[in-house]
Amino acid sequence: QVQLVESGGGLVQAGASLRLSCAASGRTFSGYNMGWFRQAPGKEREFVAIISWSGRSTSYADSVKGRFTISRDNAKNTGYLQMNSLKPEDTAIYYCAASNGYSRHVSDYNSWGQGTQVTVSS
């Protein structure tokens, strides 16, 4: 299966932007749908965004729609999450994940990165 490593997290002020990256290795990245999820302390991991293997289809959680943009560059085996207008409630560990299907559900993803911390101060 594909191995994933996230990067790009950090501490920023409300209203700032960050771009997270998800570097893939192992099996061909272009063959997988890619999702981003996040998990705040004491909370369940929640869906953020997904992009199809081709990049033609995307879907977002209502909480991030209009602020976040998911993309991928299959030639570089890398996925991205552009995060604009960040809010304190966006604070969480962000994970990228790969799946053979196109889904918002954690249980449908087979491969996960280690996570990268995003902290947004008010």
Side-chain angles (χ1 to χ4, degrees), residues 16-36:
S17 297
L18 283 173
R19 189 179 73 161
L20 306 183
S21 297
C22 177
S25 62
R27 297 191 64 181
T28 304
F29 184 56
S30 61
Y32 294 85
N33 304 295
M34 184 192 73
W36 285 95

Side-chain angles (χ1 to χ4, degrees), residues 21-74:
S21 297
C22 177
S25 62
R27 297 191 64 181
T28 304
F29 184 56
S30 61
Y32 294 85
N33 304 295
M34 184 192 73
W36 285 95
F37 295 78
R38 66 188 183 186
Q39 188 166 21
K43 295 187 177 181
E44 295 294 311
R45 192 167 300 185
E46 67 174 356
F47 169 79
V48 175
I50 185 172
I51 187 167
S52 64
W53 67 269
S54 66
R56 295 189 183 97
S57 298
T58 59
S59 185
Y60 298 89
D62 289 342
S63 59
V64 306
K65 192 172 297 182
R67 299 188 297 119
F68 291 8
T69 302
I70 189 170
S71 62
R72 67 192 299 165
D73 187 339
N74 288 339

Side-chain angles (χ1 to χ4, degrees), residues 2-8 19-25 29 33-36 70-74 76-81 94-98 111-116:
V2 64
Q3 289 77 51
L4 306 172
V5 179
E6 303 94 335
S7 62
R19 189 179 73 161
L20 306 183
S21 297
C22 177
S25 62
F29 184 56
N33 304 295
M34 184 192 73
W36 285 95
I70 189 170
S71 62
R72 67 192 299 165
D73 187 339
N74 288 339
K76 296 181 178 180
N77 292 320
T78 303
Y80 304 95
L81 184 68
Y94 283 71
Y95 300 88
C96 65
S111 299
W112 294 84
Q114 84 290 347
T116 186

